[in-house]
Amino acid sequence: MTERPLRADARRNRERVLAAAQEAFAAEGISVPLDEIARRAGVGAGTVYRHFPTKEALFEAAMVDRVERMTSRARAALNADDAGAAFFDFLQRMIAGGGVKRDLVDALGPQRANAYEGPARELQTVIGELLFRAQEAGAVRTDIGLNDLMTILKGFFVAVHIDKADSGLQERAFAVITDGLRPR
C-alpha cells in the first residue's frame, strides 16, 4: 500500500515536530517527554502521536532528517574548488551548526540496526570522499583514514558533553583536531 502525500498543513506540523524533537533530543537526550516536544513545536500531543507512534520512532525520524541534511551539505562541499577548505569548513559547520549533540554520537557509529543506519552510512561515505579529496589536495595528512576521522569526531562530541566542561572546550578541542589533521 502506497502512503498518500501529507497535506500542506500536516507536512508543516510534521516538520515543526521534527525540528522541536531534534532540539530537545540534542539538548536532553531521548528522555525528553513527548508532551514537551509537542509544546515546543506548538502542536498538541495527538499531532505528535499521529505522525510518530512512539518516542523511538520520533527519535529515529529526527536523526534521519538531521543526517540527511548533513549529507546534503557534505555533497555540496564535494563541488568546491578548494578541497581542503571545503573539508575543514564542513567539519566546522557540522560542529557549529548543531553537530555537537548527544544524538549525533550514535549516527557516527558504530552502527546498530536502526532507521538511520543507511543514512548514517551514506553520510560517512560522503565525509570519506571529502577526506580523500582534501588529502589529494595536500590539506590533510594521508595517514588518517575514514575510521580514524569518525573515531576522532565521536570522541570530540562525547568530550564536549562532559558535565561542567567549560564553554571554550569545543573551540579548543576543534582547533587541536584540525591542527592534528593537517600535514606535518
Side-chain angles (χ1 to χ4, degrees), residues 22 26 66 70 73 92-104 157 161 170:
Q22 288 172 353
R66 181 125 69 85
M70 271 193 271
R73 286 192 294 271
Q92 178 64 42
R93 288 184 58 182
M94 187 169 111
I95 289 166
V100 182
K101 308 288 186 181
R102 293 178 186 181
D103 54 3
L104 188 58
F157 295 141
H161 278 291
Q170 178 178 331

Side-chain angles (χ1 to χ4, degrees), residues 7 15 25 29 43 49 72 116 120 124 127 183:
R7 294 183 333 254
E15 289 170 4
F25 289 142
V43 300
Y49 285 107
S72 292
Y116 52 89
Q124 288 183 23
I127 290 173

Side-chain angles (χ1 to χ4, degrees), residues 98-174:
V100 182
K101 308 288 186 181
R102 293 178 186 181
D103 54 3
L104 188 58
V105 172
D106 284 338
L108 292 177
Q111 299 305 313
R112 295 179 309 276
N114 54 49
Y116 52 89
E117 180 178 358
R121 195 176 311 115
E122 185 176 344
L123 173 60
Q124 288 183 23
T125 298
V126 179
I127 290 173
E129 292 172 27
L130 283 172
L131 173 62
F132 179 74
R133 286 190 70 234
Q135 288 171 325
E136 281 191 321
V140 175
R141 299 165 47 159
T142 57
D143 61 338
I144 299 291
L146 178 59
N147 288 338
D148 300 326
L149 178 62
M150 300 316 289
T151 300
I152 291 165
L153 290 175
K154 186 173 181 176
F156 172 85
F157 295 141
V158 170
V160 297
H161 278 291
I162 296 171
D163 290 331
K164 299 181 177 107
D166 71 85
S167 60
L169 176 62
Q170 178 178 331
E171 187 177 314
R172 290 189 311 274
F174 187 70

Side-chain angles (χ1 to χ4, degrees), residues 20-34 36-37 40 55 58-59 63 66 101-104 106 161:
Q22 288 172 353
E23 181 182 304
F25 289 142
E28 301 168 37
I30 198 164
S31 65
V32 64
L34 282 178
E36 173 60 17
I37 292 170
R40 290 181 186 198
K55 189 187 315 187
L58 176 55
F59 180 80
M63 284 306 304
R66 181 125 69 85
K101 308 288 186 181
R102 293 178 186 181
D103 54 3
L104 188 58
D106 284 338
H161 278 291

